[in-house]
């Protein structure tokens, strides 16, 4: 420091100790550090607004009114900007075919990226199936349109062999995924395609007991069948 006497770490008798050096060196008071604002750490069951005001769980309506009063203008501006953007995109897609095609291509790429995740695909399909069933149950016109679209799709598939093969491949892939992940679907599929069980019966040629796959099967193997026919011909 300017104007202070120099402090030496040694003297005639030897080196100075740390206590002596600390006593000779002037103390410099450190500047006070700014304190950080306190953070709300307690767990609350109510609603806390951005401004810090609190509301109870039963005061949801009061909170919404307060939020509208505090940020209503910003929300109105945001909704107005979103409405303008939707109208702009609608008009530009209607007047610019190239722009509309680019937007559709970007939507297809985004959809494919999202549907590549099995969990996302399952959630999207579940919501779509629920909406479709609910609307079919409540709207007869929509149900008739859906049936007509299904019939038209079948006609197109019958007319285009390549498209029919692609549709069958997609259907097989969906069946494999659902068969592996849905136990109820697997049980229904097995019950529907289970081979009918017929009671055991003895073979008419060798006498061994076997389980027939058909109700009119008489022999346990092709060998016994051929031997029986040879006996009849002889």
């Amino acid at each position: 420091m300017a104007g202070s006497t120099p402090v030496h770490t040694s003297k005639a008798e030897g080196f100075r100790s740390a206590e002596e050096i600390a006593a000779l060196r002037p103390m410099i008071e450190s500047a006070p550090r700014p304190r950080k604002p306190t953070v709300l750490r307690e767990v609350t069951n109510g609603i806390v607004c951005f401004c810090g005001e609190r509301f109870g769980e039963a005061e949801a309506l009061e909170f919404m009114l307060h939020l509208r009063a505090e940020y209503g203008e910003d929300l109105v501006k945001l909704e107005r900007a979103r409405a303008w953007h939707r109208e702009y995109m609608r008009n530009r897609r209607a007047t610019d075919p190239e722009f509309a095609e680019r937007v559709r291509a970007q939507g297809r790429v985004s959809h494919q990226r999202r549907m590549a995740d099995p969990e996302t695909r399952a959630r999207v399909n579940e919501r779509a199936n629920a909406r479709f069933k609910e609307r079919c149950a409540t709207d007869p016109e929509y149900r008739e349109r859906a049936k007509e679209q299904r019939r038209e799709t079948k006609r197109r598939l019958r007319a285009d062999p390549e498209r029919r093969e692609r549709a069958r491949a997609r259907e097989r892939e969906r069946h494999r995924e659902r068969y592996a992940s849905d136990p109820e679907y697997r049980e229904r599929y097995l019950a529907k395609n289970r081979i009918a069980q017929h009671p055991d019966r003895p073979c008419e040629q060798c006498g061994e007991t076997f389980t027939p796959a058909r109700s009119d099967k008489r022999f346990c193997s092709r060998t016994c069948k051929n031997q029986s026919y040879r006996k009849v011909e002889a």
Side-chain angles (χ1 to χ4, degrees):
M1 292 181 59
S4 60
T5 57
V7 177
H8 301 282
T9 58
S10 61
K11 55 184 180 178
E13 294 81 7
F15 291 98
R16 298 180 183 272
S17 63
E19 291 78 5
E20 293 177 344
I21 295 175
L24 294 174
R25 184 175 297 158
M27 298 293 294
I28 302 176
E29 295 184 0
S30 58
R33 301 177 62 181
R35 299 186 62 182
K36 295 182 179 179
T38 58
V39 180
L40 181 64
R41 296 185 181 275
E42 62 270 14
V43 179
T44 60
N45 295 326
I47 307 171
V48 181
C49 183
F50 299 104
C51 63
E53 189 170 352
R54 298 174 181 237
F55 297 86
E57 292 183 352
E59 297 176 339
L61 180 60
E62 289 78 0
F63 169 70
M64 294 301 297
L65 295 176
H66 170 76
L67 192 64
R68 182 177 293 276
E70 291 288 335
Y71 304 97
E73 296 182 1
D74 297 336
L75 297 176
V76 170
K77 290 180 181 178
L78 180 61
E79 183 58 31
R80 192 182 299 119
R82 289 176 176 173
W84 177 87
H85 185 264
R86 287 194 295 267
E87 186 66 22
Y88 168 77
M89 294 293 289
R90 191 180 302 113
N91 294 335
R92 187 169 180 186
R93 281 197 297 267
T95 56
D96 191 348
E98 295 182 359
F99 176 77
E101 184 59 31
R102 288 200 303 271
V103 171
R104 283 194 292 269
Q106 292 175 358
R108 285 192 294 268
V109 171
S110 176
H111 179 73
Q112 292 174 359
R113 189 183 303 114
R114 291 176 58 243
M115 297 299 283
D117 184 11
E119 296 181 358
T120 303
R121 183 168 61 251
R123 287 197 304 270
V124 171
N125 292 337
E126 184 179 357
R127 288 197 298 266
N129 292 334
R131 287 195 299 267
F132 176 77
K133 291 179 181 178
E134 181 180 359
R135 192 167 180 186
C136 285
T138 57
D139 190 348
E141 296 181 359
Y142 179 81
R143 183 168 59 248
E144 290 299 326
R145 288 199 304 270
K147 291 181 179 179
E148 182 60 30
Q149 290 177 359
R150 195 177 298 113
R151 287 192 290 267
E152 181 64 25
T153 301
K154 290 182 179 179
R155 285 194 292 268
R156 291 179 181 177
L157 292 177
R158 284 194 294 268
D160 189 350
E162 295 182 359
R163 186 174 180 180
R164 182 170 63 250
E165 187 60 32
R166 291 197 301 270
R168 288 177 179 174
R170 289 196 300 269
E171 185 64 27
R172 288 193 295 268
E173 183 64 24
R174 285 196 294 267
H175 165 71
R176 282 194 292 267
E177 292 180 0
R178 192 172 180 186
Y179 186 88
S181 60
D182 191 347
E184 296 181 0
Y185 175 82
R186 184 165 55 249
E187 289 296 329
R188 290 197 303 268
Y189 178 80
L190 293 175
K192 181 180 178 181
N193 298 274
R194 186 174 290 120
I195 299 175
Q197 298 292 331
H198 301 287
D200 296 347
R201 65 181 64 175
C203 177
E204 295 183 4
Q205 176 61 28
C206 64
E208 293 185 3
T209 304
F210 70 100
T211 303
R214 301 191 312 271
S215 60
D216 58 347
K217 192 169 184 180
R218 301 159 51 197
F219 307 100
C220 63
S221 64
R222 188 179 294 275
T223 303
C224 291
K225 180 179 178 180
N226 294 336
Q227 290 177 1
S228 177
Y229 287 163
R230 290 195 196 99
K231 287 182 180 179
V232 172
E233 291 177 357

